[in-house]
Amino acid sequence: MKKLVVIDACVRQQDSRTWRIAAPIVEFLSSKYETVVYRLTEMPMEPLTPATYAERVAGSVPPWAVEAAKAVAEADRILIAAPFWDMSFPSVLKVFFEHISLFGITFTDSGRSCVGMCKCEKVMYITTRGMNIPTGDPREQATPYLHALSSLWDLGVVLTVAAWNMDYSTPEQVEEKIDATTRFGLKLAQSF
Ligand SMILES: Cc1cc2nc3c(=O)[nH]c(=O)nc-3n(C[C@H](O)[C@H](O)[C@H](O)COP(=O)(O)O)c2cc1C
């Protein structure tokens, strides 16, 4: 069975509108893929410090980070659920990436530049944004970052599934956006 890694960066957990969209899509994909879920809010993670950076340089990386990096490197598909924060995604997701971006696992180098080592072909990135900022707007800095990370690790195409203007819509409109975006994501998931 092919492998799916789900990265849940929905800090508001059960209140998250982003996770409401992602949950049925993850459920559907779980029937097609052997699935492992990383719930970042439940993981003891801090940004690298001088001390932990020195440990890494000395070859000591936390076992959980090695395991997660290997899971990402071996995944056929990756799904990321993360709300839109500060024009990008919550910092816990960047911290996760920082920990699992490991030379010899997610990337290596050719002597002239970095080369990705991941086998993933498609990434689905699910998000909701408070402001009226559609995907592709220059103020939206999460999708471009994920494209760049895909180029570093070799993750393939990045498909963004997004709802926006969530904080300036009526409760009814919010529900409609969640339903429509979930349907769109489930349709994409058919051929994911
Ligand atoms: C800490 C924080 C930062 C946010 N920053 C932005 C932002 O920069 N731009 C924006 O459009 N919405 C921003 N929002 C609004 C969220 O993107 C929006 O409410 C989203 O639907 C929240 O997703 P969630 O329900 O999955 O948590 C922010 C919300 C929070 C809590």
Side-chain angles (χ1 to χ4, degrees), residues 10-12 15-19 82-88 128-133 166-167:
C10 295
V11 178
R12 292 188 330 114
D15 294 328
S16 168
R17 303 187 277 217
T18 308
W19 187 253
F84 192 59
W85 277 19
D86 307 307
M87 306 316 233
S88 179
T128 60
R129 308 185 189 113
M131 293 158 64
N132 192 17
I133 298 179
M166 300 298 262
D167 294 355

Side-chain angles (χ1 to χ4, degrees), residues 6-160:
V6 175
I7 302 169
D8 170 11
C10 295
V11 178
R12 292 188 330 114
Q13 298 181 311
Q14 66 276 5
D15 294 328
S16 168
R17 303 187 277 217
T18 308
W19 187 253
R20 276 186 61 197
I21 294 167
I25 298 168
V26 170
E27 192 183 344
F28 171 76
L29 290 173
S30 299
S31 64
K32 288 171 64 178
Y33 292 95
E34 184 187 323
T35 303
V36 56
V37 181
Y38 290 94
R39 286 202 200 291
L40 305 193
T41 51
E42 294 170 6
M43 293 168 65
M45 270 190 303
E46 287 181 4
L48 286 179
T49 63
T52 52
Y53 175 75
E55 282 170 18
R56 179 193 279 206
V57 171
S60 171
V61 177
W64 73 262
V66 174
E67 185 230 279
K70 285 182 177 166
V72 163
E74 288 162 14
D76 299 283
R77 300 286 186 272
I78 295 172
L79 184 147
I80 299 168
F84 192 59
W85 277 19
D86 307 307
M87 306 316 233
S88 179
F89 47 69
S91 57
V92 70
L93 183 56
K94 181 66 167 66
V95 172
F96 180 71
F97 290 147
E98 187 175 283
H99 277 284
I100 69 165
S101 193
L102 294 176
F103 188 85
I105 301 181
T106 47
F107 74 101
T108 184
D109 86 84
S110 64
R112 299 177 67 191
S113 189
C114 293
V115 181
M117 290 183 70
C118 298
K119 61 182 277 206
C120 182
E121 289 172 5
K122 291 181 186 177
V123 176
M124 190 184 296
Y125 160 52
I126 300 173
T127 193
T128 60
R129 308 185 189 113
M131 293 158 64
N132 192 17
I133 298 179
T135 305
D137 187 298
R139 294 172 295 171
E140 194 271 286
Q141 287 298 305
T143 302
Y145 176 86
L146 294 175
H147 280 281
L149 190 69
S150 172
S151 122
L152 175 65
W153 290 355
D154 202 3
L155 300 176
V157 294
V158 177
L159 307 165
T160 298

